[in-house]
Amino acid sequence: MLTNGIAAHLLTQSSITSLVSGGTAIQPAPAPVDLSGYPCITYKMVSDVPDYTLTGTAGLSASRIVFDCLAPYNPGGYLVARNIALAVKAALSGYQGTLPDGTKVYFAEVVNVTDNFDNETLLSRSSVHVLFTYSD
């Protein structure tokens, strides 16, 4: 599964594991409730579209995944979230290869990076949107 492979790949990147809680705080949405789980990365697949030919599926899919890099509001919280997002962007931009779960990624393209702050949860959020062309 693409998302499992990407999470495993991100956990091999010291530029990321050095910034997230315990070096392992990468998980599917939703974000942790306990603040001890921050800073962290959550991810969600927002689209997954198979490619077709005249005779059926081509065996490739295009999937957009959003990685939310989250840090609690405190001095430097925004910069922590932003630095994690920049590390995710660097790890995935132009990526081609086979993920740890066996998924073949033909190309990964960073298509958007945004920043936000949630007044309700007091979390800084920097999101990285990546479009993957892949086959299972």
Side-chain angles (χ1 to χ4, degrees):
M1 175 186 271
L2 178 64
T3 53
N4 293 343
I6 293 167
H9 172 68
L10 293 177
L11 286 169
T12 68
Q13 307 298 307
S14 61
S15 61
I16 293 171
T17 58
S18 65
L19 297 173
V20 297
S21 179
T24 59
I26 301 173
Q27 68 182 54
V33 174
D34 184 358
L35 284 179
S36 67
Y38 291 88
C40 69
I41 300 169
T42 65
Y43 57 87
K44 59 185 170 278
M45 184 179 291
V46 296
S47 69
D48 190 35
V49 181
D51 192 20
Y52 291 93
T53 67
L54 293 174
T55 59
T57 61
L60 296 176
S61 292
S63 180
R64 185 172 180 145
I65 299 176
V66 177
F67 299 89
D68 289 324
C69 305
L70 304 161
Y73 175 71
N74 59 33
Y78 164 76
L79 291 177
V80 171
R82 183 67 177 170
N83 286 334
I84 296 169
L86 293 175
V88 169
K89 179 181 175 183
L92 296 177
S93 183
Y95 177 81
Q96 298 177 8
T98 303
L99 295 170
D101 73 336
T103 301
K104 174 73 174 160
V105 174
Y106 294 95
F107 192 69
E109 176 185 6
V110 175
V111 294
N112 199 12
V113 179
T114 61
D115 294 326
N116 199 351
F117 180 76
D118 187 327
N119 286 315
E120 206 169 294
T121 61
L122 298 179
L123 291 174
S124 294
R125 174 189 320 264
S126 192
S127 301
V128 182
H129 300 237
V130 184
L131 183 61
F132 293 90
T133 301
Y134 74 100
S135 65
D136 285 326

